[in-house]
């Protein structure tokens, strides 16, 4: 099979249960080498609970990561999910806002280089009144790689006065790289507010030229622009090592940037 080249198959299982009125911060850093890591994660938030879950793929070496996350949110509870996927990753996220005023915020960076693909499917289902969801994504594609995000929002009948939002921005480093964004709305209740948007672009060479004319080296100028692009969604106050890791990966591509 296509996965015979991996020396190890790892199946981590993570369950997080946040009791009523609790507040939890959880960070998951992963590093993969010569393996296929297949994650299954289950999250349960009881009434008035708040979970900030930061999940970062720190490094991939000859590996593939597949992941499935399911979250069930009760009344007035909030899931704040922040994630980074780096190359050769396939992610499936399902979040269910099951009771009144349940909320979910999802912020993510999807990065890929060389010939790798990094794909995320994220579906948030509104099952009750006054529920709120927001998806905010940044995609970066270099080399001959592909990044993609499929963000779906479903508002079921009876989920009155709910709000659902999706936004993604893609930065493509060259003509051989590609990026795809597919926001989907499935609205079965009239009394709701929903919006979505997706944009794609390359690094503006005129801005690079202007910065060079002010004494900034080309490589530094590109990294400054990339830094502004990904930091605007604010993954975590302590994510400086994360940004450095992304920059190190991008730096390898800059020699071929025209």
């Amino acid at each position: 099979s296509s996965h015979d080249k991996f020396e190890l198959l790892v199946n981590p299982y993570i369950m997080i249960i946040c009791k009523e009125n609790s507040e939890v911060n959880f960070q998951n850093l992963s590093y993969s080498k010569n393996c296929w890591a297949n994650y299954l994660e289950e999250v349960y938030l009881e009434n008035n609970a708040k979970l900030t879950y930061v999940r970062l793929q720190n490094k991939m070496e000859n590996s593939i990561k597949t992941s499935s996350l399911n979250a069930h949110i009760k009344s007035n509870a909030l899931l704040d999910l922040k994630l980074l996927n780096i190359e050769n990753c396939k992610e499936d996220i399902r979040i269910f806002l099951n009771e009144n005023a349940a909320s979910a915020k999802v912020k993510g960076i999807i990065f890929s280089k060389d010939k790798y693909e990094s794909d995320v499917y994220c579906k948030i289902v509104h099952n009750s009144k006054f529920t709120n969801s927001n998806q905010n994504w940044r995609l970066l594609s270099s080399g001959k790689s592909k990044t993609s995000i499929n963000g779906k929002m479903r508002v079921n009948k009876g989920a009155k006065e709910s709000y659902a939002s999706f936004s993604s921005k893609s930065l493509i480093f060259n003509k051989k790289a590609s990026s795809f964004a597919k926001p989907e709305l499935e609205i079965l209740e009239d009394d709701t507010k929903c919006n979505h948007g997706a944009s794609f672009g390359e690094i503006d060479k005129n801005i690079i030229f202007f910065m060079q004319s002010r004494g900034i080296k080309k490589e530094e100028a590109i990294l400054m622009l990339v830094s502004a692009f990904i930091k605007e969604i604010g993954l975590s106050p302590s994510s400086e090592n994360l940004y450095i890791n992304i920059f190190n990966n991008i730096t390898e591509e800059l020699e071929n940037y025209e």
Side-chain angles (χ1 to χ4, degrees):
S1 73
S2 61
H3 302 305
D4 288 341
K5 63 181 179 178
F6 302 124
E7 298 176 357
L8 185 66
L9 171 61
V10 184
N11 293 288
Y13 174 63
I14 299 172
M15 177 183 285
I16 302 174
I17 301 175
C18 297
K19 294 294 187 178
E20 188 172 344
N21 298 316
S22 63
E23 186 168 341
V24 180
N25 293 294
F26 187 81
Q27 183 163 297
N28 179 5
L29 286 172
S30 59
Y31 165 75
S32 302
K33 183 175 182 180
N34 299 325
C35 75
W36 176 11
N38 182 42
Y39 282 77
L40 175 60
E41 298 169 294
E42 294 183 281
V43 176
Y44 299 91
L45 271 62
E46 297 185 0
N47 295 347
N48 298 302
K50 179 181 178 181
L51 171 64
T52 300
Y53 186 13
V54 181
R55 180 154 55 73
L56 310 176
Q57 178 67 44
N58 194 41
K59 195 172 184 181
M60 296 276 284
E61 290 187 25
N62 187 37
S63 299
I64 186 172
K65 177 186 175 184
T66 51
S67 178
S68 177
L69 184 151
N70 292 283
H72 301 268
I73 319 297
K74 288 189 175 182
S75 178
N76 290 299
L78 167 64
L79 171 63
D80 188 0
L81 177 63
K82 306 174 183 183
L83 59 88
L84 165 70
N85 275 10
I86 293 182
E87 67 196 41
N88 233 14
C89 291
K90 294 189 179 297
E91 179 105 25
D92 187 293
I93 300 169
R94 314 281 175 126
I95 300 173
F96 301 91
L97 305 176
N98 292 325
E99 297 184 4
N100 290 357
S103 299
K105 295 190 295 183
V106 182
K107 297 180 180 180
I109 296 173
I110 306 172
F111 171 71
S112 198
K113 66 174 184 177
D114 299 327
K115 296 181 180 180
Y116 294 117
E117 296 184 8
S118 188
D119 306 314
V120 174
Y121 175 84
C122 183
K123 180 179 181 179
I124 302 180
V125 181
H126 295 248
N127 287 322
S128 193
K129 297 178 181 179
F130 314 118
T131 49
N132 189 298
S133 72
N134 180 276
Q135 297 187 50
N136 198 352
W137 300 93
R138 295 294 178 273
L139 286 69
L140 301 96
S141 303
S142 63
K144 298 179 181 179
S145 71
K146 185 191 85 169
T147 55
S148 70
I149 173 63
N150 184 344
K152 186 168 185 176
M153 297 160 285
R154 178 184 171 99
V155 182
N156 284 327
K157 188 68 177 177
K160 295 180 179 295
E161 297 187 49
S162 293
Y163 175 77
S165 175
F166 173 94
S167 175
S168 75
K169 295 181 181 180
S170 296
L171 187 61
I172 303 169
F173 282 83
N174 58 67
K175 294 181 179 180
K176 296 180 180 179
S178 60
S179 185
F180 301 88
K182 184 183 179 183
E184 293 184 59
L185 288 173
E186 189 175 0
I187 303 173
L188 306 178
E189 173 60 55
D190 292 334
D191 188 13
T192 60
K193 294 181 180 180
C194 301
N195 62 71
H196 61 83
S199 63
F200 304 83
E202 300 177 347
I203 293 176
D204 192 324
K205 294 181 179 180
N206 291 327
I207 295 178
I208 296 295
F209 178 79
F210 174 80
M211 295 173 74
Q212 286 181 290
S213 71
R214 296 299 185 269
I216 301 173
K217 294 181 179 180
K218 182 178 180 180
E219 181 178 297
E220 293 177 357
I222 294 173
L223 292 181
M224 289 172 66
L225 293 176
V226 171
S227 174
F229 177 75
I230 62 176
K231 284 188 176 182
E232 65 184 11
I233 66 169
L235 271 193
S236 170
S238 59
S239 292
E240 201 60 37
N241 289 336
L242 156 67
Y243 299 128
I244 292 172
N245 184 32
I246 294 176
F247 296 157
N248 288 341
N249 279 282
I250 292 173
T251 300
E252 298 174 10
E253 304 290 323
L254 294 184
E255 295 179 0
N256 300 321
Y257 185 83
E258 298 179 356

